[in-house]
Amino acid sequence: MEAFKVSGGRILEGEVRVSGAKNAALPIFAATLLTEETCTITNVPDLSDMRFMLQILEHLGATVESAGEGTWKVTAKTVDSTAPYDLVRKMRASICLLGPMVARLKKANISLPGGCVIGQRPIDLHIKGLRKLGCDVEISAGYVKVDAENSRGANLFLGGRHGSTVTGTANLIMAAVMTPGETFIEGAACEPEVVDLCRMLVSMGAKMDGVGSHSIKIEGVDELHGCEHRVIDDRIEAGTYLIGGAITSGDVTVHGAQIRHLGAFVDKLEEMGCEIDVKSSDSIRIRKSSNTALKPVDIITLPYPGYPTDLQAQMTALMTVTPGISIVTERIYPNRFMHIPELQRMGADIAIEGSSAIVKGGGILSGAPVMASDLRASAALVLAAIAGRGETYIQRIYHLDRGYDNFEVKLRGLGGQIDRISDKDIPDELLNS
């Protein structure tokens, strides 16, 4: 497997452009199954998750064609109703194929996607919603089997224990757009990625009101047509580079960072003492206030527009070098603290109490061999390594390749010293220490 070798003590400076949003592109690719006509999707990030999704679409019968960098054409003249475990197991987000299958075929047979290192992410709200739409749903031998021949519009409520379900909202919107009658979704997730999916569906001929709110009204149509759609820029990638500027006391301008998608996050950076300059509708510059230390903050992760859970690990890394006591409370995935033992290996002073992490910051991080446990933890460890002293070796970076397009290349462009190596090249004395 591959690893990163990061030499610390670097200041990140310059400009960087983010790629398309993974969390928007995956359901958008699933939505191409809703029509026989060709859908052209642009601004698609080059990620392993994208490649897995394209493989699944081809297995289901779609024709997939590259049309230049970041552009794919998908034509699904025929669609198979079964998505097998061998493909689905590679990516939890493949469950978002369920809605389009139900809408297009009136049946689906899709493998349950399995567990996740950051905690349970059940699909009970997906199933509850489908049953409300009049579908017969059976879970058997690890598969979700759906018969939607008698489906009809209904009133759905998608609020859950930890807030609205993002993938569930996407799934049920896609199921409802071709379900006869009117469907009212209350407690819908309103993340920008959900809004982006809805924009695409409307361009395909779907009829809906309330997009971007917690209440969405959908009038089912008989068919949808092809479209051309540009995936929104990745707000989580943008936030990661902004934290990179803050953690190294640097000066970084991020293109593709839209302030309206990052309000709660940027508010916390400003509270810490970072200077934020909104250069344009999609460019943000970050600098540390001159001659003053950053200040500690408390954050609580919440559904959009609250502080995003996908920027919790990166912010925790920033807290470790910020003098004072900061507290991060995880309300979306309470077990999402797998990065903390690795930050502790680098010298961070962090204590976990229930769903909160108490960070005593201001110390100096030092290089160490560490292990990435998930996508966002990977990014947090890289940022901590760049800000720290000495050399850090980060293993299992395949997690990072799921969600960051050319991450090390972009960081090198900002002045980071980071190289992709084989984990066999990590000195034995470090691994055995």
Side-chain angles (χ1 to χ4, degrees), residues 198-276:
C198 290
R199 288 196 306 110
M200 175 184 173
L201 294 172
V202 169
S203 73
M204 296 171 70
K207 296 181 179 180
M208 63 180 75
D209 294 312
V211 173
S213 74
H214 290 299
S215 300
I216 299 177
K217 175 186 175 182
I218 300 171
E219 181 181 343
V221 298
D222 292 333
E223 63 180 7
L224 297 176
H225 53 76
C227 70
E228 181 171 333
H229 182 82
R230 184 186 186 277
V231 176
I232 60 170
D233 294 319
D234 194 322
R235 63 191 172 105
I236 305 303
E237 184 187 6
T240 300
Y241 295 128
L242 289 171
I243 290 177
I247 200 172
T248 63
S249 298
D251 185 345
V252 174
T253 298
V254 182
H255 300 293
Q258 300 187 32
I259 190 68
R260 71 179 189 276
H261 292 166
L262 292 166
F265 166 72
V266 168
D267 179 71
K268 286 300 177 182
L269 290 177
E270 290 180 322
E271 188 178 330
M272 296 179 81
C274 296
E275 291 186 3
I276 302 294

Side-chain angles (χ1 to χ4, degrees), residues 5 21 32 62 80 82 118 123 131 149 172 192-193 247 275 281 285 308 315 349 371 374 382 402 406-407 412 416 429:
K5 176 184 176 182
T32 64
D80 193 335
T82 298
I118 65 173
I123 63 167
R131 285 175 172 156
E149 286 297 333
L172 292 165
E193 295 78 14
I247 200 172
E275 291 186 3
S281 62
R285 180 185 182 186
M315 179 60 82
D349 187 348
M371 194 82 69
D374 62 77
V382 171
R402 291 184 43 241
N406 286 312
F407 192 52
R412 283 199 295 266
E429 61 268 23

Side-chain angles (χ1 to χ4, degrees), residues 148-159:
E149 286 297 333
N150 297 316
S151 61
R152 61 196 180 280
N155 295 330
L156 312 180
F157 177 70
L158 298 185

